Amino acid sequence: MHLANRVRSLTGWRRLGFGFLAGALSALSTAPFGIWPALAVGFPALVLLIDGAGHARRRGRGAMLRSAAAAGWAFGFGYFLASLWWIGTAFLVDAEDFAWLLPVAVLCLPAGLALFTALGAVLARLIWPSGPARLCSFAVAFTAAEWLRGHVLTGFPWNTFGYGPAQTLELAQGAAFVGLWGLTFFSLLLLSTPVLLLRSGTFTRRAGWPLAALAVIALAYGLGAYRLSLNPSRYLEQVRLRIMQPAIPQGEKFAYDRRQAVLENYLDLSGRPSALYPKGLEDIGLLVWPESAFPFIYEREPWAKARIAATLPDNVTLVTGAARVGMPPQGQTSPFFNSIRVMNARGEVQETADKVHLVPFGEYLPFQDFLESIGLEQLTRVRGGFASGDRLRPLKLPGAPDAAPLICYEAIFPGAVLPQGERPGFLLNVTNDAWFGDTPGPYQHFLQARLRAVEEGLPLIRAANTGISAIVDPLGRIVAEQDLGVRGVVDGDLPQRLNAPPFGSRHAGGVLLVLMGITSSVAISRVRRQHARIG
């Protein structure tokens, strides 16, 4: 029996195991590996498994769909387990209290996310013509499932399939026209075509489809390279930036008894001379510190304000992540907010933006009161969790364009990173990836933030406690960066924004719906013709 038929005929644990391995192999497409052609192996394997679900048709339609769901779930479990295992490292920071939850985080999150790939397989199998047209069903169904994963229950679009090819900067330019979900759709459609080379295990004349897919990818690459060549990095030279990356281990970062040493560390590192700024702080206009920089509430520690005022020259504006206490919004009870604060050289807070999209189990617990009553708490150990801001707000900065503030993983949500109103001058992302150490997590997080820059045509300024801190231009080019785990600063001018992309991330969905509608009609027409021949 030849390869394709062997895969289609798999049953039981062999079928699930093959799906798991195909998903795990596909995880090589994620950062930091970036081997996105691995999807051209994983996707065809998944298509063959969905083909094989048809063998259960004789037991009824329900059995067929359950078989497809099982294959999709196994693929998703392998993919998410292999690409998100690093989340478990956060539970080792306070291992005495949280290590027992590590297996739950490492296994249950991938198992839950795999329900969306199971749904994609079911949706695909509902309209599953034979031949090349089934790839249309495959692409539409799994794009829809990925979109749902990015929105249901606050959403978690981490490692969406479109991020694989987006690690090639030329291919990432497509995000300015079709957004992340469009890149996902084309990735599914084009990278599944190698399955058409297999018919009874041999290469056939159907090689035209994979060759056409290669031609489309090559065209997208060429157009992306052309766009990059037309738009060299340009700068607002009056905005002189310094990003401070202290690289403090997570176990020390929130230690209240080290609060003075932490602040002294920040101030010392921020003021050091460099080749670009030989006078240190005297040469700088905008100084950016990472998320949750202080192991204390700033307003409760007047010595901190005095120390900052004694250090910063009059020309410096400090932007820093800092928890604050305030009036809880309507319907919420916690007075604590994860925020970005803008301070003048006297240490006075001029602007504040609160985090809107909180991290489940990190910054709040679903069913907070009940879970706390039985002894559970979120990783940040803030009793009652954090409150969320009511909306995204622009940050007004002296001598610089307005910024769109994004705290931590707020940067992973396409089409949801800009405040309402006038378009800002840049994206400002502060984060604390020290929870995850030297694992793939910080690389994946940085990739997603970079793609937001391409989608919006806006530069990205990113300050991370342990990295990766960077200045990124509006086409996703890294202008300057500090590697993961390295203590230091990132110096440079602020890149200029581009005109808003033709469709913009908020409107790319309309383009995608048209593409998916056309593709769906191809699959449906093929199914109808098949039924007509049978009838």
Side-chain angles (χ1 to χ4, degrees):
M1 186 180 292
H2 296 294
L3 176 62
N5 288 334
R6 284 189 176 185
V7 174
R8 292 188 183 103
S9 62
L10 289 173
T11 59
W13 67 266
R14 291 181 177 83
R15 179 175 172 79
L16 296 178
F18 184 84
F20 176 88
L21 292 175
L25 175 66
S26 299
L28 291 173
S29 66
T30 63
F33 311 106
I35 309 173
W36 59 264
L39 295 173
V41 178
F43 287 165
L46 182 54
V47 169
L48 291 176
L49 290 174
I50 298 174
D51 279 345
H55 294 168
R57 188 191 299 271
R58 61 183 177 274
R59 300 197 306 272
R61 186 179 179 83
M64 179 184 70
L65 296 181
R66 287 193 295 273
S67 178
W73 184 88
F75 179 92
F77 185 58
Y79 178 79
F80 293 119
L81 182 62
S83 65
L84 294 176
W85 61 266
W86 50 267
I87 287 177
T89 60
F91 294 84
L92 299 178
V93 173
D94 290 321
E96 184 176 334
D97 293 317
F98 293 109
W100 66 276
L101 286 170
L102 189 150
V104 178
V106 171
L107 296 176
C108 289
L109 178 63
L113 295 176
L115 295 175
F116 290 96
T117 50
L119 175 62
V122 169
L123 293 176
R125 188 67 225 193
L126 284 171
I127 305 173
W128 194 252
S130 62
R134 72 194 194 279
L135 304 187
C136 297
S137 295
F138 178 77
V140 170
F142 278 88
T143 300
E146 286 288 86
W147 185 91
L148 288 171
R149 179 165 71 88
H151 291 82
V152 171
L153 299 177
T154 78
F156 189 66
W158 200 285
N159 284 349
T160 299
F161 296 132
Y163 282 118
Q167 291 169 86
T168 300
L169 188 58
E170 289 79 3
L171 295 178
Q173 301 310 304
F177 302 91
V178 296
L180 170 64
W181 307 117
L183 292 181
T184 298
F185 170 77
F186 282 112
S187 297
L188 287 159
L189 182 63
L190 299 176
L191 298 179
S192 61
T193 56
V195 75
L196 301 177
L197 295 172
L198 294 172
R199 188 175 184 180
S200 300
T202 61
F203 288 101
T204 74
R205 294 179 182 179
R206 295 188 182 188
W209 291 101
L211 289 175
L214 279 175
V216 172
I217 294 171
L219 177 62
Y221 184 95
L223 291 174
Y226 181 65
R227 184 172 190 258
L228 289 165
S229 70
L230 288 181
N231 295 280
S233 299
R234 297 182 175 87
Y235 302 92
L236 299 171
E237 296 183 0
Q238 72 273 19
V239 183
R240 299 174 69 78
L241 282 167
R242 167 163 285 179
I243 303 168
M244 186 274 298
Q245 179 171 298
I248 299 177
Q250 185 62 33
E252 300 177 24
K253 179 178 171 62
F254 288 157
Y256 181 73
D257 60 349
R258 300 196 70 254
R259 60 195 181 281
Q260 291 182 321
V262 167
L263 184 57
E264 290 300 327
N265 183 358
Y266 292 168
L267 293 172
D268 172 69
L269 186 55
S270 298
R272 291 186 178 183
S274 68
L276 187 61
Y277 300 141
K279 297 180 181 179
L281 287 171
E282 295 291 340
D283 290 330
I284 297 163
L286 187 61
L287 175 63
V288 185
W289 290 355
E291 177 191 13
S292 303
F294 306 126
F296 51 81
I297 300 298
Y298 182 72
E299 284 81 0
R300 295 177 178 175
E301 307 282 344
W303 64 269
K305 177 181 176 181
R307 188 69 189 88
I308 288 172
T311 304
L312 297 186
D314 291 341
N315 54 288
V316 174
T317 296
L318 171 62
V319 180
T320 181
R324 74 175 186 92
V325 174
M327 182 66 68
Q330 185 175 4
Q332 302 186 58
T333 58
S334 174
F336 296 101
F337 295 83
N338 188 354
S339 306
I340 295 179
R341 322 298 297 277
V342 178
M343 302 180 188
N344 61 22
R346 297 183 296 279
E348 298 167 342
V349 176
Q350 305 290 295
E351 292 269 334
T352 295
D354 299 322
K355 187 174 185 180
V356 175
H357 211 134
L358 301 177
V359 180
F361 301 98
E363 293 169 318
Y364 77 97
L365 293 175
F367 312 107
Q368 182 88 36
D369 293 341
F370 170 72
L371 292 180
E372 284 188 341
S373 72
I374 61 174
L376 293 180
E377 58 184 341
Q378 60 275 347
L379 291 173
T380 51
R381 312 195 77 161
V382 175
R383 184 71 181 175
F386 284 96
S388 61
D390 59 346
R391 59 186 173 88
L392 295 175
R393 299 175 183 273
L395 281 179
K396 296 189 179 299
L397 305 171
D402 290 354
L406 302 167
I407 301 175
C408 189
Y409 98 145
E410 287 185 314
I412 75 170
F413 296 96
V417 297
L418 299 186
Q420 294 293 329
E422 186 175 348
R423 189 164 175 257
F426 65 101
L427 304 175
L428 175 65
N429 181 210
V430 300
T431 189
N432 175 29
D433 287 346
W435 289 102
F436 307 111
D438 187 8
T439 68
Y443 295 97
Q444 294 170 8
H445 198 185
F446 181 44
L447 169 66
Q448 294 173 86
R450 282 180 67 194
L451 198 64
R452 301 293 86 77
V454 179
E455 288 172 347
E456 303 295 348
L458 295 174
L460 168 71
I461 305 304
R462 190 172 195 266
N465 174 30
T466 53
I468 302 165
S469 300
I471 300 172
V472 178
D473 82 358
L475 285 90
R477 285 179 289 226
I478 300 172
V479 174
E481 70 175 319
Q482 190 65 268
D483 289 338
L484 181 64
V486 177
R487 183 173 184 265
V489 295
V490 179
D491 292 338
D493 298 323
L494 176 66
Q496 294 181 19
R497 70 182 185 184
L498 296 177
N499 293 329
F503 300 103
S505 64
R506 290 178 177 172
H507 304 292
V511 179
L512 178 61
L513 286 175
V514 171
L515 290 171
M516 291 177 66
I518 294 171
T519 309
S520 298
S521 67
V522 171
I524 292 170
S525 297
R526 176 67 177 172
V527 169
R528 285 176 174 172
R529 286 198 298 270
Q530 288 175 195
H531 288 171
R533 286 200 300 270
I534 294 172

